[in-house]
Amino acid sequence: MVLKRRSAYDRDDPAVAGFEDSDLDVSQDSVENGAAGASQEEQPRDPAHVLFGEQLVARGLISQTQLGEALLQQEASGKRLGNLLVELGVLDDRDLARELAGLFGMPLADLSQVDPEASALQLVPEAVARTSNVLPLRLHSGRLEVVVADPLDAEAIEAVRAAAGRDVAVYVASASDISRAIQTSYQSLVNVEGLVEQFEAIDALRRAAATVSAAADDDDAPVVQLVTQIMAQGLRDRASDVHIEPQGDRVRIRFRIDGALHDVLALPSAMGPAVVSRLKIMAKMNIADRRRSQDGQVALTIDAREIDVRINTCPTMWGEKAVLRILDRSRVLFRLEELGMRPDTHDLFTKLVRAPFGMVVCAGPTGSGKTTTLYATLGEVNQTERNVTTIEDPVEYIFPSLTQIQINEQSGLTFANGLRAILRQDPDVILVGEIRDSDTARIAIESALTGHLVLSSLHATDACSALQRLVDMGIEPFLVASTVTGMASQRLFRRICDQCKVEYDPGVEEIAFYEANAGPGAAPIERLAHGQGCNFCSHTGYRDRVGVFELVRMTDRIKRLLVAQASVDDLRAAAEEEGTRSLVQEALGLVGGGVTTIGEIMRNVYGH
């Protein structure tokens, strides 16, 4: 266990180096004494508050003006000063945790390196830990060691003590770190072995396919519980996709997290058909048809969060494979300025989408964030005086003020048919979720020609390739040149984990890659950053992703080249001469800023 102890006022206190676990002796009596102090703290102008605030000012964490404003707001809200400063965005919650630990003489827990013991987690139910935002760490000398964000929150500490049935010793960490650690420590897949054993016992008596399917519809069946746990764990691990893959003597379960697949679980091969049958039942798919690919969708509530799960099954030589796309409805949608575009790219893109007519296309492979960009763009163009209509497959997020149409190919509602219907609905702005075929492409182009603003996505490697792809779909080059006003290509790169990021001296190959692709005027690099791996990033060195964008505006020169059927390389060279920065160049700017790594660029974008 990695623990750091801080003195009340000196973050360089030499006591940090010599601190041992045995030095901790926080009794239940001291917790209760702290609770007594908490009741007095409710007075907004308690001198202790002012003293604590002055100490924050003296350490340079906040300004005197910020302290004065926070104290005024505290009088109205009654909130604790530290929490209020964090809510106002003037104090980092990790700085607050460090100062509180020093003030109360409690050790500071580094949750990026601490691994909670299973015995401690079993003593405190997950619901209690989440409600109280308290993480149990381990049992030591008969006491349960726990981590709290607020040492004065006696109610939360007492709830954990009552649930565990023993005294607690208190550590301090930031509220965000505790929430993140709870999310990763309480696993939904802890009892998988028991479910497998139950299934194998039942499977010996249920050999017929019909019987297996019936078992997959029983809420108490092991397969039903297993599928629910897999989806719950995927949601907690921030997985965008879940892959259930039969492979001879096993069924492999993988999660796609931040764009990369990770092995999570291996099941006996006999469970594969039952798991897929359960998914088909949930999505109202045909469980008897195992010879063709099927698509379905199901709405669920997991951990009090509403999610949509898109399910696709496909026959393979070892059985049916299923891929689940998890769409979290509770996720906050990004605004256009939050996507990560450079200021000049953002200004140009905003200008293009605010035009009264024309066509703007977002290009990139599957999972590159095109839909997120389109939804952020809708927030920019959605105005009361405009009729904005979307046609999508599926409708991932609901906008109450928009008209949104869900594709249903079984009933004959395709992108092409739906787009024709939209044109009779007096639209101003049309969002086409994806241009998949020549009919949809032609109708979208004609819509832009007749005075509508059309937004859409297209699968292509970069912006200039997307222009060529429209031509390959049968759209005349002069029509593409006349209607398309801008092409945006994008990728998502994994961010270096801010908890374990360290600098290092780049190797010869990395320097050569940087110099060959960074473009003219790029500053030379001396140091780069990467993640060493910690609990918060599952020891991958990466956590979350950042968008990188390449935007090509349809200038007169590019229009002439397109009409003359120039190659993609000629179009790309012309765009770069007119100021377009390639995806590789944009991404290398993030490398220089310590946001991502050269390895991520080579994984996502081809570089010379």
Side-chain angles (χ1 to χ4, degrees):
M1 185 179 299
V2 179
L3 299 169
K4 301 178 182 178
R5 189 168 193 167
R6 304 288 187 183
S7 67
Y9 309 111
D10 184 8
R11 70 179 68 188
D12 297 322
D13 187 351
V16 175
F19 180 77
E20 300 292 341
D21 291 351
S22 58
D23 293 335
L24 175 64
D25 187 12
V26 182
S27 65
Q28 180 60 25
D29 292 337
S30 66
V31 173
E32 293 171 353
N33 291 335
S39 63
Q40 297 175 2
E41 190 189 22
E42 296 302 325
Q43 299 298 325
R45 285 289 186 171
D46 191 311
H49 273 106
V50 180
L51 180 60
F52 181 60
E54 292 294 347
Q55 292 169 4
L56 295 176
V57 173
R59 296 170 69 88
L61 296 174
I62 62 174
S63 67
Q64 191 67 48
T65 302
Q66 292 169 335
L67 174 59
E69 293 176 354
L71 289 172
L72 288 175
Q73 293 197 30
Q74 187 190 28
E75 290 183 353
S77 65
K79 296 180 179 179
R80 290 182 178 144
L81 179 62
N83 295 336
L84 188 57
L85 288 168
V86 172
E87 290 179 9
L88 293 174
V90 300
L91 181 66
D92 184 80
D93 63 346
R94 292 191 178 96
D95 289 333
L96 173 62
R98 184 183 60 246
E99 298 305 316
L100 288 175
L103 183 66
F104 291 102
M106 294 180 177
L108 189 68
D110 183 358
L111 294 181
S112 67
Q113 303 298 327
V114 171
D115 290 315
E117 295 179 355
S119 58
L121 294 171
Q122 291 173 0
L123 288 175
V124 181
E126 180 180 352
V128 175
R130 288 182 180 275
T131 303
S132 305
N133 201 33
V134 176
L135 176 70
L137 282 182
R138 66 172 185 175
L139 287 170
H140 182 67
S141 300
R143 287 181 177 173
L144 176 64
E145 296 177 354
V146 300
V147 185
V148 302
D150 185 354
L152 293 178
D153 192 349
E155 183 177 346
I157 296 173
E158 174 59 26
V160 173
R161 190 195 66 80
R166 61 186 67 212
D167 288 340
V168 297
V170 179
Y171 296 74
V172 180
S174 69
S176 61
D177 284 353
I178 293 174
S179 298
R180 191 181 299 176
I182 290 174
Q183 194 78 358
T184 57
S185 298
Y186 285 94
Q187 299 287 313
S188 294
L189 299 175
V190 291
N191 63 335
V192 168
E193 293 183 0
L195 295 176
V196 170
E197 291 175 359
Q198 294 179 39
F199 173 83
E200 290 176 338
I202 296 172
D203 188 51
L205 303 175
R206 296 175 172 171
R207 297 294 184 182
T211 308
V212 172
S213 300
D217 198 22
D218 182 0
D219 290 341
D220 294 327
V223 169
V224 174
Q225 298 180 49
L226 177 63
V227 169
T228 302
Q229 290 179 9
I230 288 173
M231 288 191 285
Q233 192 62 50
L235 183 63
R236 294 181 183 184
D237 289 347
R238 302 177 298 108
S240 60
D241 301 88
V242 177
H243 290 237
I244 301 173
E245 306 164 315
Q247 292 188 330
D249 60 347
R250 66 169 184 161
V251 176
R252 181 171 64 170
I253 310 296
R254 293 193 291 173
F255 291 169
R256 186 177 295 278
I257 303 173
D258 292 335
L261 284 169
H262 302 274
D263 287 341
V264 175
L265 190 63
L267 302 173
S269 59
M271 294 193 75
V275 169
V276 174
S277 294
R278 172 57 185 169
L279 293 171
K280 287 183 173 181
I281 290 171
M282 295 172 66
K284 296 181 172 56
M285 299 157 66
N286 185 354
I287 63 173
D289 189 350
R290 300 176 182 232
R291 296 183 178 181
R292 66 182 180 92
S293 177
Q294 297 187 57
D295 292 285
Q297 188 170 348
V298 61
L300 301 171
T301 300
I302 297 177
D303 291 342
R305 294 157 66 182
E306 293 185 358
I307 65 170
D308 284 332
V309 182
R310 291 162 51 186
I311 302 173
N312 175 269
T313 62
C314 182
T316 72
M317 63 178 297
W318 296 112
E320 284 187 288
K321 173 181 176 179
V323 176
L324 287 60
R325 169 65 58 89
I326 300 177
L327 305 172
D328 185 1
R329 288 186 178 181
S330 63
R331 188 185 68 183
V332 177
L333 293 176
F334 290 98
R335 297 192 300 271
L336 194 57
E337 59 270 20
E338 297 173 335
L339 295 179
M341 293 182 182
R342 283 161 41 103
D344 54 344
T345 304
H346 172 266
D347 292 342
L348 177 56
F349 187 81
T350 302
K351 182 179 179 180
L352 293 174
V353 300
R354 285 180 176 174
F357 56 86
M359 185 172 179
V360 179
V361 178
C362 292
T366 300
S368 60
K370 301 185 297 296
T371 301
T372 299
T373 300
L374 290 176
Y375 277 140
T377 305
L378 285 179
E380 191 74 24
V381 303
N382 185 22
Q383 300 169 354
T384 304
E385 60 270 19
R386 279 179 148 184
N387 175 19
V388 181
T389 305
T390 76
I391 180 165
E392 308 168 62
D393 183 26
V395 175
E396 296 186 8
Y397 298 97
I398 305 298
F399 289 80
S401 59
L402 303 183
T403 301
Q404 295 177 271
I405 299 173
Q406 168 76 55
I407 290 298
N408 188 341
E409 295 185 355
Q410 292 181 348
S411 64
L413 180 58
T414 63
F415 275 109
N417 294 337
L419 194 48
R420 290 190 184 95
I422 289 174
L423 291 175
R424 296 190 289 271
Q425 292 283 317
D426 185 31
D428 296 299
V429 180
I430 303 172
L431 185 147
V432 182
E434 181 183 345
I435 295 178
R436 297 178 177 174
D437 51 53
S438 58
D439 288 342
T440 305
R442 183 166 296 280
I443 298 171
I445 289 288
E446 292 173 354
S447 301
L449 276 174
T450 54
H452 304 92
L453 175 63
V454 179
L455 308 172
S456 186
S457 70
L458 183 68
H459 283 89
T461 55
D462 59 21
C464 293
S465 297
L467 285 172
Q468 190 64 52
R469 178 133 194 264
L470 288 174
V471 175
D472 292 341
M473 286 183 175
I475 308 301
E476 292 78 359
F478 73 89
L479 285 179
V480 177
S482 301
T483 56
V484 175
T485 56
M487 305 288 293
S489 176
Q490 65 183 90
R491 295 290 192 280
L492 292 176
F493 292 85
R494 291 185 292 178
R495 287 181 179 269
I496 300 172
C497 175
D498 59 356
Q499 294 297 304
C500 59
K501 179 165 66 174
V502 295
E503 290 188 345
Y504 71 98
D505 294 322
V508 176
E509 293 182 355
E510 290 176 309
I511 294 176
F513 181 89
Y514 182 91
E515 293 177 347
N517 293 280
I525 58 170
E526 297 179 356
R527 301 276 287 173
L528 293 179
H530 66 182
Q532 290 183 313
C534 66
N535 291 340
F536 291 155
C537 63
S538 300
H539 299 280
T540 63
Y542 300 96
R543 183 174 175 86
D544 296 328
R545 290 187 287 178
V546 60
V548 173
F549 298 84
E550 172 192 58
L551 181 59
V552 174
R553 183 170 60 92
M554 289 293 288
T555 62
D556 291 340
R557 179 182 177 186
I558 293 179
K559 289 179 181 179
R560 288 194 297 269
L561 288 172
L562 187 63
V563 172
Q565 298 184 357
S567 67
V568 173
D569 289 338
D570 291 338
L571 292 172
R572 190 178 296 118
E576 291 181 359
E577 288 177 7
E578 295 190 350
T580 297
R581 288 173 55 86
S582 69
L583 287 169
V584 175
Q585 291 172 344
E586 291 282 353
L588 285 175
L590 296 179
V591 170
V595 178
T596 189
T597 64
I598 288 180
E600 269 297 283
I601 298 176
M602 299 181 72
R603 189 179 70 90
N604 281 280
V605 184
Y606 172 76
H608 300 289

